[in-house]
Structure formats: C-alpha cells, structure tokens
Amino acid sequence: MRVTLGAVAIALALWVALCAWLFVQQRRLIYHPGFTRTPAASTDFSITRDGVVLRGWRVRADCADAIVYFGGNAETLLPMRERLRALFPHHALYLVAYRGYGASDGTPSETAIVGDARAVFDIVRRAHPKGTVTVIGRSLGAGVAARLASERAVDRLVLVTPFDRLSTVAQSHLPWAPARLLLRERYEAAAAVADLRTPVLVAVAGHDTVVPNASTRALIRALPRAPGVVELPGATHIDVVEAPAFNRALQSFVGPASSGCGGASAHADEALG
C-alpha cells in the first residue's frame, strides 16, 4: 500500500499535537494525588512553607533518632506509618504529604516538592539534634530523597524502587514520544547522588512494571560507593514494602536506636505544630 505525502503530513501533525499536549499537561500526567486525599483533621502535625500548609503524621516525637519518609506517587501514607511504627518502636517517624496530596494544600511540582522536603528535614533535624535522621524515599519519593541527601546531612538513605531520572521512566511508557525533550519535571536522581557519601540501601522489585529495572540499575551504578542492595524477585512496584526480606533488610540497615525515647529536643512540638 502506497503511503501518500498527505498521509505522512497528517500523521506528523498528529504526533506533534500529541507531543505538545504531553508538554502542556505533563504535571497532570506525572502527579496522581487524587487517590491520596484525606481530611486535615486526620493528621497530627503541619508546617507552612511559602503560604502553603503541608500536613502529615508524626509518631514518638520524643525519641532521639528519627526516620523521615517520602512516599510514592499515588501512595496513601497511613499504611506506611503503621508499618514503620511496628518496625522501629524506638524511632520518631515523620511522614508528610506532598503539595496537593493527602491533606496538604497547594499544587505539586518538582521545585516545590524538593523545597518542601528540605524544610521538613531541617525541622526534623532541629528537633532531633543528638540523634540520627534516616530518610526513606519510595518511587517518586526516591527522587525527592536522593536530591535531599545531596544537599543535607542525611545519616542514612533508603531508596525503594528508585529511578535514575524521571525521563527514563517516561520514555519506557511512551516510547513514541521524545520524553527527554518534553519533560520539565526532571528528578535527576543519578546526578544528585554522584558525589554522595551517605550509606545507602536500595530495594529492587523483580516485577516492577512502573520503574524499568534498567533505570534502577543505572541509579545504583551512579552511586560513588556501592550501596546495600536488597533484591526482591517476587515483588512488584506496589507490594515491595510488604516483602519480609525488605523489612528485614530495612531494620538491619537502619539499626537499633542510639538511645531511647523521652530525650528528644523540646523543639519538636514548637517546630512541627
């Protein structure tokens, strides 16, 4: 069948139109907060940054050591709060919803989310001056956590189903589009960790259909020091945190608390509201 120049021109015009639509709508396509929304009354702390109120949860704020968790795209944080509560009975826990997620106000963007993560970490660091602060990032949160660790003194970093850069993930799902050229939201995790000296644990899901395995491996190779890697061949992107092997590796990597609870800075309540 002969393909006419007119048909080629129409196909090209449609392709350009679709690419333009992806460029304009990319934040709506990247961020999926709708499934995570929760009443503000269900949260127990909040911070305000640039006039935007971010809400989330904290557990045992009087413990010396703390864990900060940054969730995945479309992830509801409450299940992870309960999981971490059980795994780490002598650590303070902080889980904050991104802008537009959970009970947080505002609209998500990479610049805003990364800036918010810095603010949350700084508050937690001030609230726990004598303890360690471990940062855990899952999926999208791994990109946030990687950037944070490149700019702040994170004691330990856990990356769950991470990617090297968001454009790699986008390209795998949209092979017909020039994702690397279209994306304004970059999340360049591999570049962020290139000089990182923080101890790192990486969790790899064997059946991850969201983040390509090659993207996770590229992130691991980008680290200047070999990280701990927990391979979970039977896990998917969704159930990776439910794997017993992951939970054991996480507990071993974070380790026992350096001291008990009841001795954290009094600034915890003042800072977090």
Side-chain angles (χ1 to χ4, degrees):
M1 179 184 296
R2 292 182 58 187
V3 178
T4 67
L5 290 177
V8 171
I10 291 172
L12 180 60
L14 288 173
W15 180 80
V16 170
L18 280 172
C19 289
W21 181 81
L22 287 173
F23 179 78
V24 172
Q25 298 293 328
Q26 62 183 269
R27 283 179 179 160
R28 290 190 177 187
L29 297 171
I30 291 170
Y31 301 109
H32 300 284
F35 297 109
T36 73
R37 297 301 290 172
T38 189
S42 71
T43 63
D44 56 29
F45 76 78
S46 66
I47 68 169
T48 301
R49 178 175 176 270
D50 298 336
V52 175
V53 180
L54 305 173
R55 299 180 178 90
W57 295 270
R58 63 177 174 178
V59 177
R60 294 184 296 264
D62 63 338
C63 294
D65 297 327
I67 295 172
V68 182
Y69 180 77
F70 296 107
N73 205 358
E75 180 183 359
T76 301
L77 296 178
L78 279 173
M80 200 62 186
R81 182 191 68 171
E82 297 311 306
R83 186 177 303 279
L84 293 174
R85 186 202 295 268
L87 289 173
F88 299 101
H90 302 295
H91 284 74
L93 308 175
Y94 296 88
L95 303 91
V96 62
Y98 305 129
R99 294 183 178 219
Y101 284 67
S104 294
D105 299 335
T107 302
S109 72
E110 180 182 6
T111 298
I113 287 174
V114 171
D116 294 341
R118 291 191 206 100
V120 170
F121 179 85
D122 290 345
I123 288 171
V124 174
R125 179 75 277 175
R126 289 196 298 271
H128 301 268
K130 297 181 180 180
T132 61
V133 180
T134 297
V135 171
I136 303 174
R138 179 182 181 185
S139 192
L140 177 66
V144 176
R147 176 75 177 274
L148 175 65
S150 74
E151 301 175 2
R152 294 294 190 269
V154 172
D155 291 294
R156 298 181 190 86
L157 177 65
V158 180
L159 303 176
V160 183
T161 58
F163 49 82
D164 59 337
R165 55 181 58 87
L166 189 60
S167 61
T168 305
V169 179
Q171 195 68 68
S172 71
H173 292 285
L174 300 169
W176 53 268
R180 291 177 177 81
L181 298 177
L182 295 174
L183 279 185
R184 291 172 295 176
E185 307 289 276
R186 309 295 296 183
Y187 291 100
E188 297 279 355
V193 303
D195 298 316
L196 193 66
R197 298 298 169 184
T198 301
V200 180
L201 175 68
V202 179
V204 183
H207 294 289
D208 196 332
T209 59
V210 177
V211 175
N213 185 266
S215 181
T216 299
R217 303 292 177 189
L219 184 282
I220 292 172
R221 290 195 300 272
L223 288 159
R225 296 168 55 184
V229 179
V230 53
E231 301 278 358
L232 304 163
T236 69
H237 191 81
I238 303 301
D239 65 13
V240 59
V241 297
E242 300 173 13
F246 168 72
N247 291 320
R248 289 193 297 269
L250 182 61
Q251 286 179 307
S252 176
F253 178 73
V254 174
S258 59
S259 61
C261 298
S265 168
H267 294 305
D269 284 318
E270 296 174 9
L272 291 168

